[in-house]
Coordinates of all heavy atoms in Angstrom, one line a residue:
M19 N 7.5 -7.1 -2.7 CA 7.1 -5.7 -2.2 C 7.2 -5.7 -0.6 O 6.9 -6.7 0.0 CB 5.6 -5.6 -2.6 CG 5.4 -5.3 -4.0 SD 5.8 -3.6 -4.4 CE 4.7 -3.3 -5.7
T20 N 7.6 -4.6 -0.2 CA 7.7 -4.4 1.3 C 6.5 -3.6 1.7 O 5.9 -2.8 1.0 CB 9.0 -3.6 1.5 OG1 10.1 -4.3 1.0 CG2 9.2 -3.4 3.0
K21 N 6.0 -4.0 3.0 CA 4.9 -3.2 3.5 C 5.4 -2.1 4.5 O 6.5 -2.3 5.1 CB 4.0 -4.2 4.3 CG 3.3 -5.2 3.5 CD 2.5 -6.1 4.3 CE 1.8 -7.2 3.4 NZ 1.1 -8.2 4.2
Y22 N 4.7 -1.0 4.5 CA 5.0 0.1 5.3 C 3.8 0.6 6.1 O 2.7 0.6 5.6 CB 5.4 1.3 4.4 CG 6.7 0.9 3.6 CD1 6.6 0.3 2.4 CD2 8.0 1.2 4.2 CE1 7.8 0.0 1.7 CE2 9.1 0.9 3.5 CZ 9.0 0.3 2.3 OH 10.2 0.0 1.6
L23 N 4.0 0.9 7.3 CA 3.0 1.3 8.3 C 3.0 2.9 8.2 O 4.1 3.5 8.5 CB 3.3 0.8 9.7 CG 2.4 1.3 10.8 CD1 1.0 0.8 10.6 CD2 2.9 0.9 12.2
L24 N 1.9 3.4 8.0 CA 1.7 4.9 8.0 C 1.1 5.2 9.3 O -0.1 4.8 9.6 CB 0.9 5.4 6.8 CG 1.3 4.9 5.4 CD1 0.4 5.5 4.4 CD2 2.8 5.2 5.1
I25 N 1.7 6.1 10.1 CA 1.1 6.6 11.4 C 0.7 8.0 11.2 O 1.6 8.8 10.9 CB 2.1 6.4 12.5 CG1 2.5 4.9 12.7 CG2 1.5 7.0 13.8 CD1 1.4 4.0 13.3
Y26 N -0.6 8.3 11.4 CA -1.1 9.7 11.2 C -1.0 10.4 12.6 O -1.6 9.9 13.6 CB -2.5 9.6 10.7 CG -2.6 8.9 9.4 CD1 -3.5 7.8 9.3 CD2 -1.9 9.3 8.3 CE1 -3.6 7.1 8.1 CE2 -2.0 8.6 7.1 CZ -2.8 7.5 7.0 OH -2.9 6.8 5.8
R27 N -0.4 11.5 12.6 CA -0.2 12.3 13.8 C -0.8 13.7 13.6 O -0.7 14.3 12.5 CB 1.2 12.4 14.2 CG 1.9 11.1 14.6 CD 3.2 11.3 15.2 NE 3.9 10.0 15.5 CZ 3.6 9.2 16.6 NH1 2.8 9.6 17.4 NH2 4.2 8.1 16.7
A28 N -1.3 14.2 14.7 CA -1.8 15.6 14.7 C -1.7 16.1 16.1 O -1.8 15.4 17.1 CB -3.2 15.7 14.2
D29 N -1.5 17.4 16.3 CA -1.4 18.1 17.6 C -2.8 18.0 18.3 O -3.7 18.5 17.8 CB -1.0 19.5 17.4 CG -0.9 20.3 18.7 OD1 -1.1 19.7 19.8 OD2 -0.6 21.5 18.7
P30 N -2.9 17.3 19.4 CA -4.2 17.1 20.1 C -4.9 18.4 20.5 O -6.1 18.6 20.3 CB -3.9 16.3 21.3 CG -2.6 15.6 21.0 CD -1.8 16.6 20.1
A31 N -4.1 19.4 20.9 CA -4.6 20.7 21.2 C -5.2 21.4 20.1 O -6.3 22.0 20.1 CB -3.5 21.6 22.0
A32 N -4.5 21.4 18.9 CA -5.0 22.0 17.7 C -6.2 21.3 17.2 O -7.2 22.0 16.8 CB -3.9 22.0 16.7
M33 N -6.3 20.0 17.3 CA -7.4 19.3 16.9 C -8.7 19.6 17.8 O -9.8 19.8 17.3 CB -7.2 17.8 16.9 CG -6.2 17.3 15.9 SD -6.6 17.6 14.2 CE -7.9 16.5 14.0
A34 N -8.4 19.8 19.1 CA -9.5 20.1 20.0 C -10.0 21.5 19.8 O -11.2 21.8 20.0 CB -9.1 19.9 21.5
A35 N -9.1 22.4 19.4 CA -9.5 23.8 19.1 C -10.3 24.0 17.8 O -10.9 25.0 17.6 CB -8.3 24.7 19.1
M36 N -10.3 23.0 16.9 CA -10.9 23.1 15.6 C -12.4 23.0 15.8 O -12.9 22.3 16.6 CB -10.5 22.0 14.6 CG -9.1 22.1 14.2 SD -8.6 20.8 13.1 CE -9.5 21.3 11.7
P37 N -13.2 23.9 15.1 CA -14.7 23.9 15.2 C -15.1 22.5 14.6 O -14.5 21.9 13.8 CB -15.1 25.0 14.4 CG -14.0 25.4 13.5 CD -12.7 25.0 14.2
E38 N -16.3 22.1 15.0 CA -17.0 20.9 14.5 C -17.2 21.2 13.0 O -17.7 22.2 12.6 CB -18.3 20.7 15.2 CG -19.0 19.4 14.9 CD -18.2 18.2 15.5 OE1 -17.5 18.4 16.5 OE2 -18.3 17.1 14.9
P39 N -16.8 20.2 12.2 CA -16.9 20.4 10.7 C -18.4 20.4 10.3 O -19.2 19.7 10.9 CB -16.1 19.3 10.1 CG -16.1 18.2 11.1 CD -16.1 18.9 12.5
T40 N -18.7 21.1 9.3 CA -20.0 21.1 8.7 C -20.2 19.8 7.9 O -19.2 19.2 7.6 CB -20.2 22.3 7.7 OG1 -19.4 22.1 6.6 CG2 -20.0 23.6 8.4
P41 N -21.5 19.4 7.6 CA -21.7 18.2 6.9 C -21.0 18.3 5.5 O -20.4 17.3 5.0 CB -23.2 18.2 6.7 CG -23.7 18.9 7.9 CD -22.7 20.0 8.2
E42 N -20.9 19.5 4.9 CA -20.2 19.6 3.6 C -18.7 19.4 3.8 O -18.1 18.7 2.9 CB -20.4 21.0 3.1 CG -21.9 21.3 2.7 CD -22.8 21.7 3.8 OE1 -22.3 22.0 5.0 OE2 -24.0 21.7 3.7
Q43 N -18.1 19.9 4.9 CA -16.7 19.7 5.1 C -16.4 18.2 5.4 O -15.4 17.7 5.0 CB -16.2 20.5 6.3 CG -16.2 22.0 6.1 CD -16.0 22.8 7.3 OE1 -16.5 22.6 8.3 NE2 -15.2 23.9 7.1
V44 N -17.3 17.5 6.1 CA -17.1 16.1 6.3 C -17.2 15.4 5.0 O -16.3 14.4 4.8 CB -18.3 15.5 7.3 CG1 -18.3 14.1 7.4 CG2 -18.1 16.1 8.7
Q45 N -18.1 15.7 4.1 CA -18.2 15.1 2.8 C -16.9 15.4 2.0 O -16.4 14.4 1.3 CB -19.4 15.6 2.1 CG -19.8 14.8 0.9 CD -21.2 15.2 0.4 OE1 -21.5 16.4 0.4 NE2 -22.0 14.2 0.0
E46 N -16.4 16.6 2.1 CA -15.1 16.9 1.4 C -13.9 16.1 1.9 O -13.1 15.7 1.1 CB -14.8 18.4 1.5 CG -15.8 19.3 0.7 CD -15.5 20.8 1.0 OE1 -14.5 21.1 1.6 OE2 -16.4 21.6 0.6
M47 N -13.8 16.0 3.2 CA -12.8 15.2 3.8 C -12.8 13.8 3.4 O -11.8 13.1 3.1 CB -12.8 15.4 5.3 CG -12.3 16.7 5.9 SD -12.2 16.8 7.6 CE -13.8 16.7 8.2
G48 N -14.1 13.2 3.4 CA -14.2 11.8 3.0 C -13.8 11.7 1.6 O -13.1 10.7 1.2
A49 N -14.2 12.6 0.7 CA -13.9 12.5 -0.7 C -12.4 12.6 -0.9 O -11.8 11.9 -1.8 CB -14.6 13.6 -1.5
A50 N -11.7 13.4 -0.1 CA -10.2 13.5 -0.2 C -9.5 12.2 0.2 O -8.7 11.7 -0.5 CB -9.7 14.7 0.6
W51 N -10.0 11.6 1.3 CA -9.4 10.4 1.7 C -9.7 9.2 0.7 O -8.8 8.5 0.4 CB -10.0 10.0 3.1 CG -9.2 10.6 4.2 CD1 -9.4 11.9 4.8 CD2 -8.0 10.1 4.8 NE1 -8.6 12.1 5.7 CE2 -7.7 11.1 5.8 CE3 -7.3 8.9 4.8 CZ2 -6.5 10.9 6.6 CZ3 -6.2 8.8 5.6 CH2 -5.8 9.7 6.5
F52 N -10.9 9.1 0.2 CA -11.2 8.1 -0.8 C -10.5 8.3 -2.1 O -10.2 7.4 -2.8 CB -12.7 7.9 -0.9 CG -13.4 7.4 0.3 CD1 -14.5 8.0 1.0 CD2 -12.9 6.2 1.0 CE1 -15.0 7.5 2.1 CE2 -13.4 5.7 2.1 CZ -14.5 6.3 2.7
G53 N -10.3 9.6 -2.4 CA -9.6 9.9 -3.6 C -8.1 9.4 -3.5 O -7.6 8.9 -4.5
W54 N -7.5 9.6 -2.2 CA -6.1 9.1 -2.0 C -6.2 7.6 -2.1 O -5.3 7.0 -2.8 CB -5.7 9.6 -0.7 CG -4.3 8.9 -0.3 CD1 -3.1 9.3 -0.8 CD2 -4.1 7.8 0.5 NE1 -2.1 8.5 -0.3 CE2 -2.7 7.6 0.5 CE3 -4.9 7.0 1.3 CZ2 -2.1 6.5 1.3 CZ3 -4.3 6.0 2.0 CH2 -3.0 5.8 2.0
R55 N -7.2 6.9 -1.5 CA -7.2 5.5 -1.6 C -7.3 5.0 -3.0 O -6.6 4.1 -3.4 CB -8.5 5.0 -0.9 CG -8.7 3.5 -0.9 CD -10.2 3.1 -0.7 NE -11.1 3.7 -1.6 CZ -12.4 3.8 -1.6 NH1 -13.0 3.3 -0.5 NH2 -13.1 4.3 -2.6
D56 N -8.1 5.7 -3.8 CA -8.3 5.2 -5.2 C -7.0 5.5 -6.0 O -6.6 4.7 -6.9 CB -9.5 6.0 -5.8 CG -10.8 5.5 -5.2 OD1 -10.8 4.5 -4.5 OD2 -11.8 6.3 -5.5
R57 N -6.3 6.6 -5.7 CA -5.1 7.0 -6.4 C -4.0 5.9 -6.1 O -3.2 5.5 -6.9 CB -4.7 8.4 -6.0 CG -3.5 8.9 -6.9 CD -3.3 10.4 -6.7 NE -2.9 10.7 -5.3 CZ -3.7 11.3 -4.3 NH1 -4.9 11.7 -4.6 NH2 -3.2 11.6 -3.2
V58 N -3.9 5.5 -4.9 CA -2.9 4.6 -4.4 C -3.2 3.1 -5.0 O -2.3 2.4 -5.2 CB -2.8 4.6 -2.8 CG1 -1.9 3.4 -2.3 CG2 -2.2 5.9 -2.4
G59 N -4.5 2.8 -5.1 CA -4.8 1.5 -5.7 C -4.4 0.4 -4.9 O -4.5 0.3 -3.7
D60 N -3.8 -0.6 -5.6 CA -3.4 -1.9 -5.1 C -2.2 -1.7 -4.1 O -1.9 -2.7 -3.4 CB -2.9 -2.9 -6.2 CG -4.1 -3.3 -7.1 OD1 -5.3 -3.2 -6.6 OD2 -3.9 -3.8 -8.2
A61 N -1.6 -0.6 -4.0 CA -0.5 -0.4 -3.1 C -1.1 -0.3 -1.6 O -0.3 -0.5 -0.7 CB 0.3 0.8 -3.4
L62 N -2.3 0.0 -1.5 CA -3.0 0.1 -0.2 C -3.4 -1.3 0.3 O -4.2 -2.0 -0.3 CB -4.2 1.0 -0.3 CG -4.9 1.3 1.1 CD1 -3.9 2.0 2.0 CD2 -6.1 2.1 0.8
V63 N -2.7 -1.8 1.3 CA -3.0 -3.1 1.9 C -4.1 -3.0 2.9 O -5.0 -3.9 2.9 CB -1.7 -3.6 2.6 CG1 -1.9 -4.9 3.3 CG2 -0.6 -3.8 1.6
D64 N -4.1 -2.0 3.7 CA -5.1 -1.8 4.8 C -5.4 -0.3 4.9 O -4.5 0.5 5.3 CB -4.6 -2.4 6.1 CG -5.6 -2.3 7.2 OD1 -6.6 -1.6 7.1 OD2 -5.3 -2.9 8.3
F65 N -6.6 0.1 4.6 CA -6.9 1.6 4.7 C -6.7 2.0 6.1 O -6.4 3.2 6.3 CB -8.4 1.8 4.2 CG -8.7 3.2 4.0 CD1 -8.0 4.1 3.1 CD2 -9.9 3.6 4.5 CE1 -8.4 5.3 2.9 CE2 -10.3 4.9 4.3 CZ -9.6 5.8 3.5
G66 N -6.9 1.2 7.1 CA -6.7 1.5 8.5 C -8.0 2.1 9.1 O -9.1 2.1 8.5
D67 N -7.7 2.7 10.3 CA -8.8 3.3 11.1 C -8.3 4.4 12.0 O -7.1 4.4 12.2 CB -9.4 2.2 12.0 CG -10.3 1.2 11.3 OD1 -11.3 1.6 10.7 OD2 -9.9 0.0 11.3
P68 N -9.1 5.3 12.4 CA -8.7 6.2 13.4 C -8.4 5.5 14.7 O -8.9 4.4 15.0 CB -9.9 7.2 13.6 CG -10.8 6.9 12.4 CD -10.5 5.5 11.9
T69 N -7.6 6.1 15.6 CA -7.2 5.5 16.9 C -7.6 6.5 17.9 O -7.8 7.6 17.8 CB -5.7 5.2 16.9 OG1 -5.0 6.4 16.7 CG2 -5.3 4.2 15.9
R70 N -7.8 5.9 19.2 CA -8.0 6.7 20.4 C -7.2 6.1 21.5 O -7.3 4.9 21.8 CB -9.6 6.6 20.7 CG -9.9 7.4 21.8 CD -11.4 7.2 22.2 NE -11.7 5.8 22.4 CZ -12.8 5.3 22.6 NH1 -13.9 6.0 22.7 NH2 -13.0 4.0 22.8
P71 N -6.4 6.9 22.2 CA -5.5 6.4 23.2 C -6.4 6.0 24.4 O -7.3 6.6 24.8 CB -4.6 7.6 23.6 CG -5.4 8.8 23.1 CD -6.2 8.3 22.0
L72 N -6.0 4.8 25.0 CA -6.7 4.2 26.1 C -5.7 4.0 27.3 O -6.2 4.2 28.4 CB -7.4 2.9 25.8 CG -8.5 3.0 24.7 CD1 -9.1 1.6 24.5 CD2 -9.7 3.9 25.2
S73 N -4.5 3.6 27.0 CA -3.6 3.2 28.1 C -2.9 4.5 28.6 O -2.7 5.4 27.9 CB -2.6 2.2 27.7 OG -1.9 2.7 26.6
A74 N -2.5 4.4 29.9 CA -1.8 5.5 30.5 C -0.5 5.7 29.7 O 0.2 4.8 29.4 CB -1.5 5.2 32.0
G75 N -0.2 7.0 29.3 CA 1.1 7.2 28.7 C 1.0 7.1 27.1 O 1.9 7.3 26.5
A76 N -0.2 6.7 26.6 CA -0.4 6.5 25.2 C -0.2 7.9 24.6 O -0.7 8.9 25.1 CB -1.7 5.9 24.9
D77 N 0.4 7.9 23.4 CA 0.6 9.2 22.7 C -0.7 9.7 22.0 O -1.2 9.1 21.1 CB 1.7 8.9 21.6 CG 2.1 10.1 20.8 OD1 1.4 11.2 21.0 OD2 3.0 10.1 20.0
P78 N -1.2 10.8 22.6 CA -2.5 11.3 22.1 C -2.4 11.9 20.6 O -3.4 12.2 20.0 CB -2.9 12.3 23.0 CG -1.6 12.8 23.6 CD -0.7 11.6 23.6
S79 N -1.1 12.1 20.1 CA -1.0 12.7 18.8 C -1.2 11.6 17.7 O -1.4 12.0 16.6 CB 0.4 13.3 18.6 OG 1.4 12.3 18.5
L80 N -1.2 10.4 18.1 CA -1.4 9.3 17.1 C -2.9 9.2 16.8 O -3.7 8.9 17.7 CB -0.9 8.0 17.6 CG -0.7 6.9 16.6 CD1 0.4 5.9 17.0 CD2 -2.0 6.1 16.4
G81 N -3.3 9.5 15.6 CA -4.7 9.6 15.2 C -5.2 8.5 14.3 O -6.4 8.4 14.1
G82 N -4.3 7.7 13.8 CA -4.8 6.6 12.9 C -3.6 6.0 12.2 O -2.5 6.3 12.4
Y83 N -3.9 5.0 11.3 CA -2.9 4.3 10.5 C -3.4 3.8 9.2 O -4.6 3.7 9.0 CB -2.3 3.1 11.4 CG -3.3 2.0 11.4 CD1 -3.2 0.9 10.4 CD2 -4.4 2.0 12.2 CE1 -4.2 -0.1 10.3 CE2 -5.4 0.9 12.1 CZ -5.2 -0.1 11.2 OH -6.2 -1.1 11.1
S84 N -2.5 3.5 8.3 CA -2.8 2.7 7.1 C -1.6 1.9 6.8 O -0.5 2.1 7.4 CB -3.0 3.7 5.9 OG -4.1 4.4 6.0
I85 N -1.7 0.9 6.0 CA -0.6 0.0 5.6 C -0.6 0.0 4.1 O -1.6 -0.2 3.4 CB -0.7 -1.4 6.1 CG1 -0.7 -1.4 7.6 CG2 0.5 -2.3 5.6 CD1 -0.9 -2.7 8.3
V86 N 0.6 0.3 3.5 CA 0.8 0.3 2.1 C 1.9 -0.7 1.7 O 2.7 -1.1 2.6 CB 1.1 1.7 1.5 CG1 0.0 2.7 1.7 CG2 2.4 2.3 2.1
Q87 N 2.0 -1.0 0.5 CA 3.2 -1.8 0.0 C 3.8 -1.1 -1.2 O 3.2 -0.4 -2.0 CB 2.8 -3.2 -0.4 CG 1.8 -3.3 -1.5 CD 1.3 -4.7 -1.8 OE1 1.8 -5.7 -1.1 NE2 0.4 -4.9 -2.8
A88 N 5.1 -1.2 -1.2 CA 5.9 -0.5 -2.3 C 7.2 -1.2 -2.5 O 7.7 -2.0 -1.6 CB 6.1 1.0 -1.9
A89 N 7.9 -0.9 -3.5 CA 9.2 -1.5 -3.9 C 10.3 -1.1 -2.9 O 11.2 -1.9 -2.6 CB 9.6 -1.2 -5.4
D90 N 10.2 0.1 -2.4 CA 11.2 0.6 -1.5 C 10.6 1.8 -0.7 O 9.5 2.2 -1.0 CB 12.5 0.9 -2.2 CG 12.4 2.0 -3.3 OD1 11.5 2.9 -3.2 OD2 13.2 1.9 -4.3
G91 N 11.4 2.4 0.2 CA 11.0 3.5 1.0 C 10.7 4.7 0.2 O 9.8 5.4 0.5
D92 N 11.5 5.0 -0.8 CA 11.2 6.1 -1.7 C 9.8 6.0 -2.4 O 9.1 7.0 -2.5 CB 12.3 6.3 -2.7 CG 13.6 6.8 -2.1 OD1 13.5 7.4 -1.0 OD2 14.7 6.6 -2.8
A93 N 9.5 4.8 -2.9 CA 8.2 4.6 -3.5 C 7.1 4.7 -2.5 O 6.0 5.2 -2.8 CB 8.2 3.2 -4.2
A94 N 7.3 4.2 -1.3 CA 6.3 4.4 -0.2 C 6.1 5.9 0.1 O 4.9 6.3 0.2 CB 6.8 3.7 1.1
Q95 N 7.2 6.7 0.2 CA 7.0 8.0 0.4 C 6.3 8.7 -0.7 O 5.5 9.7 -0.5 CB 8.4 8.7 0.6 CG 9.1 8.3 1.8 CD 8.6 9.0 3.1 OE1 7.7 9.9 3.0 NE2 9.2 8.7 4.2
A96 N 6.5 8.3 -2.0 CA 5.8 8.9 -3.1 C 4.3 8.7 -3.0 O 3.6 9.6 -3.5 CB 6.4 8.3 -4.4
L97 N 3.9 7.7 -2.4 CA 2.4 7.4 -2.2 C 1.8 8.5 -1.4 O 0.6 8.6 -1.4 CB 2.2 6.0 -1.6 CG 2.6 4.9 -2.5 CD1 2.5 3.5 -1.6 CD2 1.8 4.7 -3.8
L98 N 2.6 9.2 -0.6 CA 2.0 10.2 0.3 C 1.9 11.6 -0.3 O 1.3 12.5 0.3 CB 2.9 10.4 1.5 CG 3.1 9.0 2.3 CD1 4.0 9.2 3.5 CD2 1.8 8.4 2.7
E99 N 2.3 11.7 -1.6 CA 2.1 13.1 -2.2 C 0.7 13.4 -2.3 O -0.1 12.6 -2.8 CB 2.8 13.0 -3.6 CG 4.3 12.9 -3.5 CD 5.0 12.9 -4.9 OE1 4.3 13.3 -5.9 OE2 6.1 12.4 -5.0
G100 N 0.3 14.6 -1.9 CA -1.1 15.0 -1.9 C -2.0 14.3 -0.9 O -3.2 14.3 -1.1
H101 N -1.4 13.7 0.1 CA -2.2 12.9 1.1 C -3.1 13.9 1.9 O -2.7 15.0 2.3 CB -1.3 12.2 2.0 CG -2.0 11.2 2.8 ND1 -2.9 11.5 3.9 CD2 -2.0 9.8 2.8 CE1 -3.4 10.4 4.4 NE2 -2.9 9.3 3.7
P102 N -4.4 13.6 2.1 CA -5.3 14.5 2.8 C -4.9 14.8 4.2 O -5.2 15.9 4.7 CB -6.6 13.8 2.7 CG -6.4 12.4 2.4 CD -5.1 12.4 1.7
H103 N -4.2 13.9 4.9 CA -3.9 14.1 6.3 C -2.8 15.3 6.4 O -3.0 16.1 7.2 CB -3.3 12.9 6.9 CG -3.0 13.1 8.4 ND1 -4.0 13.2 9.3 CD2 -1.8 13.1 9.1 CE1 -3.4 13.3 10.5 NE2 -2.1 13.3 10.4
T104 N -1.9 15.3 5.5 CA -0.9 16.4 5.5 C -1.5 17.7 5.0 O -1.2 18.8 5.5 CB 0.4 16.1 4.7 OG1 0.0 15.7 3.4 CG2 1.2 15.0 5.4
A105 N -2.5 17.6 4.2 CA -3.2 18.8 3.7 C -4.0 19.4 4.8 O -4.2 20.6 4.8 CB -4.2 18.4 2.5
M106 N -4.4 18.6 5.8 CA -5.1 19.1 7.0 C -4.1 19.6 8.1 O -4.6 20.0 9.2 CB -6.0 18.0 7.6 CG -7.1 17.7 6.6 SD -8.0 16.1 7.1 CE -7.9 16.1 8.9
G107 N -2.8 19.6 7.8 CA -1.9 20.0 8.8 C -1.2 19.0 9.7 O -0.4 19.3 10.5
G108 N -1.6 17.7 9.4 CA -1.0 16.6 10.2 C 0.3 16.1 9.6 O 0.7 16.6 8.5
T109 N 1.0 15.2 10.3 CA 2.2 14.6 9.8 C 2.0 13.1 9.7 O 1.0 12.5 10.3 CB 3.4 14.9 10.7 OG1 3.1 14.3 12.0 CG2 3.6 16.4 10.8
I110 N 2.8 12.5 8.9 CA 2.7 11.0 8.7 C 4.1 10.4 8.9 O 5.0 10.8 8.2 CB 2.2 10.7 7.3 CG1 0.9 11.3 7.0 CG2 2.1 9.1 7.1 CD1 0.4 11.2 5.5
D111 N 4.2 9.5 9.9 CA 5.4 8.8 10.1 C 5.3 7.5 9.3 O 4.3 6.9 9.2 CB 5.5 8.4 11.6 CG 5.7 9.5 12.5 OD1 6.1 10.6 12.1 OD2 5.3 9.4 13.7
V112 N 6.4 7.1 8.7 CA 6.4 5.9 7.8 C 7.4 4.9 8.4 O 8.6 5.3 8.7 CB 6.9 6.3 6.4 CG1 6.9 5.0 5.5 CG2 6.0 7.3 5.7
Y113 N 6.9 3.7 8.6 CA 7.8 2.6 9.2 C 7.8 1.4 8.3 O 6.7 1.0 7.8 CB 7.2 2.2 10.6 CG 7.3 3.2 11.7 CD1 6.2 4.1 11.8 CD2 8.3 3.3 12.5 CE1 6.3 5.1 12.8 CE2 8.4 4.3 13.5 CZ 7.3 5.1 13.6 OH 7.4 6.1 14.6
E114 N 8.9 0.9 8.0 CA 9.0 -0.4 7.3 C 8.6 -1.5 8.2 O 9.1 -1.6 9.3 CB 10.4 -0.6 6.7 CG 10.6 -1.8 5.9 CD 11.9 -2.0 5.3 OE1 12.6 -1.0 5.1 OE2 12.4 -3.1 5.1
L115 N 7.7 -2.4 7.7 CA 7.3 -3.6 8.4 C 8.3 -4.7 8.0 O 8.5 -5.0 6.9 CB 5.9 -4.0 8.1 CG 4.9 -2.9 8.5 CD1 3.5 -3.5 8.1 CD2 4.9 -2.7 10.0
T116 N 9.0 -5.2 9.0 CA 10.0 -6.3 8.8 C 9.4 -7.5 9.3 O 9.1 -7.7 10.5 CB 11.3 -5.9 9.5 OG1 11.1 -5.7 10.9 CG2 12.0 -4.6 8.9
P117 N 9.4 -8.6 8.4 CA 8.8 -9.8 8.8 C 9.6 -10.4 10.0 O 10.8 -10.4 10.1 CB 9.0 -10.7 7.5 CG 9.1 -9.7 6.5 CD 9.9 -8.5 7.0
F118 N 8.9 -11.0 10.9 CA 9.4 -11.7 12.1 C 9.9 -13.1 11.7 O 9.2 -13.8 11.1 CB 8.4 -11.7 13.2 CG 8.9 -12.3 14.5 CD1 9.8 -11.6 15.3 CD2 8.5 -13.6 14.8 CE1 10.3 -12.2 16.4 CE2 9.0 -14.2 16.0 CZ 9.8 -13.4 16.8
S119 N 11.1 -13.3 12.1 CA 11.7 -14.7 11.7 C 12.0 -15.4 13.0 O 12.7 -14.9 13.9 CB 12.9 -14.5 10.9 OG 13.6 -15.7 10.7
M120 N 11.6 -16.6 13.1 CA 11.9 -17.5 14.3 C 13.2 -18.2 14.1 O 13.7 -18.8 15.1 CB 10.8 -18.5 14.5 CG 9.4 -17.9 14.9 SD 9.4 -17.0 16.5 CE 9.4 -18.5 17.6
G121 N 13.8 -18.1 13.0 CA 14.9 -19.0 12.8 C 16.2 -18.2 12.6 O 17.3 -18.5 12.6

C-alpha cells in the first residue's frame, strides 16, 4: 500500500468572512469529519490536525492534513468522495509519499 498526504486548502479571506459557527454547526461539522473517518476506516493512517502558518511566506490557504493509504492514486482519490472539507467549499491536494532511500 502506498501512503498519500492530503492537504486541505481554503481561501483565507472567505474563511475569515464566515460567521462564527453555532454549537449545532460545530457538532454537525464534527459528525461529518468523523463520519468520513469511519467510512475510510483502515485506509486512514493519520487523521491529522488543523494547521496555522507561522513562518514568513507560509501559505495561509493550507488549513490541515491527513494521511491515507491506498493501492494507487485512483483509490486514494476515491477515498475523498463526499469528504466534508470539499462539502464546505475547500479543496484537497493529494500527494504520493515516496519512501526516502539512502542507497
Side-chain angles (χ1 to χ4, degrees):
M19 290 282 211
T20 302
K21 292 180 183 174
Y22 297 87
L23 175 66
L24 310 179
I25 300 290
Y26 304 120
R27 294 190 184 276
D29 178 4
M33 294 299 290
M36 291 180 71
E38 191 69 29
T40 66
E42 293 80 13
Q43 290 170 321
V44 169
Q45 196 170 38
E46 288 173 13
M47 287 186 289
W51 275 89
F52 292 127
W54 175 76
R55 177 201 62 190
D56 295 345
R57 191 171 62 253
V58 170
D60 291 342
L62 186 63
V63 174
D64 182 350
F65 191 53
D67 287 299
T69 58
R70 182 182 57 181
L72 296 178
S73 60
D77 184 351
S79 73
L80 194 152
Y83 76 95
S84 294
I85 298 175
V86 297
Q87 62 184 358
D90 57 32
D92 289 339
Q95 292 282 357
L97 296 173
L98 303 180
E99 291 179 21
H101 195 288
H103 184 71
T104 53
M106 294 171 31
T109 61
I110 303 173
D111 296 338
V112 180
Y113 295 89
E114 182 177 332
L115 297 177
T116 56
F118 182 71
S119 173
M120 295 293 289

